[in-house]
Amino acid sequence: MNMDDFALDFMAFLEKSPTPFHAVKNICSILEKSGFVKLDESEAWNLKPKGKYIVTRNGSALIAFITGKESPAINGIRLTGAHTDSPCLKVKPVPELKSSGYIELDVEIYGGVLLNTWFDRDLSIAGRTTCLTSDGIIMSCLVDFIDTVAFIPSLAIHLNRDVNSSKSVNPQKEMLPIVMHHNANSRTNDFMDMLLDQVRGAIPEASEILEHELFLYDAQRPSFVGLKKEFMTGARIDNLLSCYAGARAIADTATDFCSVLVLNDNEEVGSSSISGADGQFLKSILERICGSAESFSRAMAKSVMISTDNAHGVHPNYSEKHDTNHRPIMNNGPAIKINANQRYATNSETSAIIKMVAKRNSIQLQTFTMRSDMACGSTIGPITASLLGIKTVDIGVPTLGMHSIREMAGKLDIHGLYKLIKGFNSDDIQMLVPY
């Protein structure tokens, strides 16, 4: 698939995936069209050589794998990892707040959100809802209001004259979206009633909302920008870009090697959950693929993982925030991410492997390290490397506006990441020769 078509398909995926639940559902659809078969963790498995399979957990994390021609203990595993969640605003369990004639939603901050970017935006709501049916059965479904249903207005400059010189945001007070006018004579729980109507579109027999996991999201569609349209902007590019590239790569891979894609949830809040990288989801599935503890240990010793998460592209207005020799530029290729304190898991050997794959597939690469006087973020890479003992390289597409409600990436880099992962999955390469 050429670069333009790939970017258009990614934009369509991004628009249909406002939450991790929707992203996993849509990636399952992509993989099933390529012959992947869903498995149930609670059932016995009968894996076949070169079989293609999918496992999901919590509806927000996914592992897809190709078993390969031989046991992973012989050739190891080509593993790619990313995460499905993005910083955002999450609706609290009891959501309605009535103030000054309006109904607002009580929200909490999920992850490291650039809060100022959420003001004065058209917002919608999506997520997962669990309900009770008229037959007394508990059921869950995904919901997406799609239409613009919420707005967080800024305070006018006339009432806050110092806003352009100093602005801090109180998330408890200022991040409350307006969703409707308050009718004092109404006896209904307006928002929850409307949510129940949404649920009944999927579950007609739903009688009561028991609980929900709902998130606000930017209702503006992704778009190409720039005089030559070489950039892409949209919400959740960090890190659905990596999820989509990994999913398309394994879907398009024809290989004799065991290849695995893991998409964890909750990376933005520490990864400690049943679907997060700091849980047992991946290890459990890999042990079942390998078949025994002996085979698993041998496979891990021969395996390599790409942890792919967006990289900090150099901002032309703040270039001093980057190390002089490590300033990734959009559309100059994915960046290998390196940190001496192991916030990224890359070492010299794993970096060399990726450089070899990139060279074979004519993909330009860049390198990113943080300034020595600034703290470094992290990824699922070090966590997974620690839990599995697997050699890992951290890479990512240079991005601007990371953790904003809308982010920016290069069209060429999006396609380059896909080609890199596909080559990693399928190239016949000698991973490492012991010295």
Side-chain angles (χ1 to χ4, degrees):
M1 182 180 294
N2 66 41
M3 178 181 67
D4 290 328
D5 289 342
F6 189 86
L8 284 169
D9 283 358
F10 170 56
M11 288 172 63
F13 165 78
L14 201 60
E15 188 174 1
K16 294 187 297 183
S17 304
T19 74
F21 304 113
H22 292 81
V24 165
K25 178 183 177 182
N26 292 326
I27 288 172
C28 283
S29 178
I30 291 169
L31 295 173
E32 286 176 317
K33 290 177 182 177
S34 295
F36 284 75
V37 177
K38 278 189 177 180
L39 298 173
D40 188 328
E41 274 195 275
S42 65
E43 301 290 338
W45 294 355
N46 180 24
L47 304 180
K48 302 182 184 301
K50 300 186 72 171
K52 297 181 177 182
Y53 303 99
I54 310 167
V55 188
T56 63
R57 182 179 282 192
N58 187 48
S60 62
L62 174 149
I63 294 175
F65 60 95
I66 302 171
T67 53
K69 188 176 180 180
E70 298 180 296
S71 166
I74 298 174
N75 292 318
I77 296 171
R78 317 289 178 89
L79 178 63
T80 301
H83 64 87
T84 59
D85 60 320
S86 302
C88 62
L89 308 182
K90 184 177 182 182
V91 180
K92 290 183 179 179
V94 182
E96 287 196 6
L97 294 171
K98 299 178 176 66
S99 177
S100 302
Y102 300 101
I103 293 180
E104 299 175 301
L105 293 185
D106 199 3
V107 299
E108 57 184 328
I109 310 304
Y110 179 92
V113 182
L114 271 173
L115 293 176
N116 277 307
T117 65
W118 283 75
F119 288 104
D120 308 320
R121 305 288 308 189
D122 292 345
L123 304 175
S124 192
I125 300 169
R128 181 172 67 182
T129 301
T130 303
C131 68
L132 188 67
T133 71
S134 54
D135 297 327
I137 300 171
I138 296 176
M139 298 181 69
S140 293
C141 70
L142 301 187
V143 296
D144 185 356
F145 281 77
I146 299 176
D147 293 334
T148 299
V149 296
F151 193 84
I152 306 172
S154 296
L155 182 63
I157 193 170
H158 314 80
L159 306 177
N160 186 10
R161 292 291 183 180
D162 298 328
V163 66
N164 287 329
S165 57
S166 63
K167 170 62 176 173
S168 60
V169 179
N170 183 319
Q172 176 68 24
K173 174 180 173 61
E174 297 179 76
M175 298 308 297
L176 305 177
I178 295 173
V179 291
M180 67 181 75
H181 180 261
H182 173 44
N183 182 355
N185 297 320
S186 174
R187 297 182 179 181
T188 62
N189 190 351
D190 294 303
F191 175 73
M192 296 304 290
D193 288 343
M194 291 184 177
L195 180 59
L196 184 58
D197 288 339
Q198 289 281 325
V199 170
R200 284 174 175 157
I203 306 174
E205 62 272 26
S207 61
E208 177 186 353
I209 301 293
L210 296 177
E211 196 52 88
H212 54 78
E213 295 175 78
L214 299 174
F215 304 87
L216 282 98
Y217 71 90
D218 180 18
Q220 183 180 351
R221 303 179 66 181
S223 62
F224 294 127
V225 301
L227 294 176
K228 296 183 179 180
K229 305 300 182 187
E230 67 261 59
F231 308 114
M232 200 194 99
T233 61
R236 302 175 301 282
I237 290 177
D238 174 19
N239 189 30
L240 290 188
L241 187 161
S242 300
C243 294
Y244 184 75
R248 287 303 307 264
I250 198 169
D252 296 344
T253 293
T255 181
D256 289 336
F257 305 110
C258 181
S259 297
V260 176
L261 171 70
V262 57
L263 306 180
N264 289 116
D265 192 8
N266 304 129
E267 189 273 345
E268 298 291 358
V269 291
S271 294
S272 295
S273 68
I274 63 167
S275 50
D278 203 20
Q280 294 295 306
F281 184 32
L282 178 58
K283 184 178 181 182
S284 171
I285 300 305
L286 292 179
E287 287 174 339
R288 296 178 77 167
I289 294 171
C290 293
S292 69
E294 171 75 12
S295 179
F296 172 76
S297 294
R298 290 173 61 195
M300 291 302 97
K302 296 180 179 180
S303 300
V304 176
M305 175 183 177
I306 292 177
S307 164
T308 176
D309 200 346
N310 296 45
H312 291 289
V314 61
H315 193 307
N317 300 340
Y318 302 92
S319 58
E320 73 279 2
K321 294 292 185 179
H322 276 66
D323 182 81
T324 303
N325 291 333
H326 304 91
R327 295 178 171 180
I329 299 172
M330 291 187 296
N331 285 322
N332 276 22
I336 299 174
K337 301 158 71 173
I338 299 171
N339 180 256
N341 296 304
Q342 289 299 293
R343 300 296 287 168
Y344 303 132
T346 307
N347 62 29
S348 60
E349 293 184 327
T350 57
S351 179
I353 290 169
I354 288 305
K355 286 183 176 180
M356 181 175 64
V357 174
K359 185 175 182 179
R360 287 188 175 185
N361 292 275
S362 301
I363 301 165
Q364 185 175 350
L365 292 179
Q366 305 180 79
T367 305
F368 171 76
T369 66
M370 288 290 289
R371 285 177 56 108
S372 298
D373 56 357
M374 293 178 65
C376 183
S378 192
T379 70
I380 67 169
I383 297 171
T384 308
S386 299
L387 289 177
L388 299 181
I390 186 172
K391 294 175 282 291
T392 302
V393 57
D394 269 292
I395 64 172
V397 166
T399 306
L400 293 179
M402 190 180 294
H403 288 199
S404 169
I405 195 171
R406 284 181 77 81
E407 299 163 320
M408 185 178 190
K411 192 162 60 172
L412 180 66
D413 299 333
I414 296 170
H415 193 239
L417 181 63
Y418 157 76
K419 289 169 58 183
L420 186 67
I421 298 171
K422 185 180 176 184
F424 172 73
N425 286 342
S426 56
D427 281 4
D428 186 5
I429 52 178
Q430 175 64 48
M431 286 296 193
L432 289 172
V433 177
Y435 55 87

